[in-house]
Amino acid sequence: MKNIYLNIYRPNYINLKKVKKCIENNNVIGLPTETVYGLAGNAYSDKSVKKIFNLKRRPLFNPLIIHFKNLNDLKNDVILNTNFRKLYDAFCPGPITFVLKKKKKSRISIIATAGKKTVAVRVPKHRVARNLLDILKFPLAAPSANISSKLSPTSAKDVFEEFGNKIKFILDGGQCKIGLESTIVDLTGKPSILRPGSVTLKKIQKVLKKKIKIKKNPKKIKAPGQSKLHYSPGIPVKLNRKNAKKNQALIGFGKKFKVGKNYFNLSKKGNLKEAANNLYKTMREVKKKKFKSIAVIKIPNKGIGYAINDRLKKASNK
Ligand code: TXA
Ligand code: MG
């Protein structure tokens, strides 16, 4: 049988070398991280970054996250501060992104940062992302590897679904451990959360030893992930439902949730981490099964549940 996933590669040494070449030639690739898969290219190259925007059909005003190997590399491009150091020590490498001021001498493409004076930086934990960063001489610009406003991919096949053979390489790092995008913290002034994630408000406050805010409706949108209709499966999503209508899938959670043809359980054990991990995967599955819309039962708003509800609200255009 013909293998249609010709561009999905095992992340062994030989393939990483090929990918390195490909990226050095200003091309972009599918990269696994512990949160979601990224569409990655040389952050110092306008040419690579333009390709990312074009492939994703991403508006040019929406800046990309820049992925670094470690603190030492990060220092070349952004101005570090005390809050950053505390959070970096506590959570990095890991699923958290920091917005910091850009250094004047930074080489990051101004297209990647949408001309802003700030940069969103992250040091990922996934072994494959780290192995690749280790052999590159530049950081990687990598937004989630999906067409703009759609669901983020959590497996190599999901990335293939988004871009097919338009990219030469998708490195297969398995199913993402977390399955939701990183927490984004703005550290350019008083710390605030721009996008909730698995590193929760509570955990961040504990490290910084102070109360911080989650920006809900900032007047000036700092992270368009905050704008309406995002993370969309491409069919309507209705929240806080108890039952499904005709041609509608019901996504639920926990032991008591019924079993049925149109019922999808995010976590039978009622575990929110597992639910977060299954969220995008389940919505993709529902879409493939040709349901016309999705109803979701109420998901507890604690821990990572807060981030799940954030994504669901945006998917439902609320
Ligand atoms: O988990 C993740 O963060 C994944 C993986 C691949 O690392 N990446 C990701 O990237 O979710 P993306 O582009 O889908 O989301 C990045 C968000 C966008 O909402 C963007 O507006 C925001 O980060 N952002 C980037 N630079 C920013 C900046 N300078 N200030 C405020 N927000 C920024
Ligand atoms: Mg995204």
Side-chain angles (χ1 to χ4, degrees), residues 35 58 62-63 65 67 118 120 122 143-144 182 184 195 222-225:
T35 54
R58 177 164 175 131
N62 190 0
I65 295 180
H67 298 65
T118 58
R122 159 157 141 74
S144 50
S182 62
I184 303 182
R195 180 174 72 185
K222 277 209 166 174

Side-chain angles (χ1 to χ4, degrees), residues 36 56 58 143-146 150 152 181 195 230-231:
V36 299
K56 269 185 72 82
R58 177 164 175 131
S144 50
N146 51 279
K150 300 289 186 224
S152 294
E181 304 81 358
R195 180 174 72 185
H230 219 81
Y231 315 109

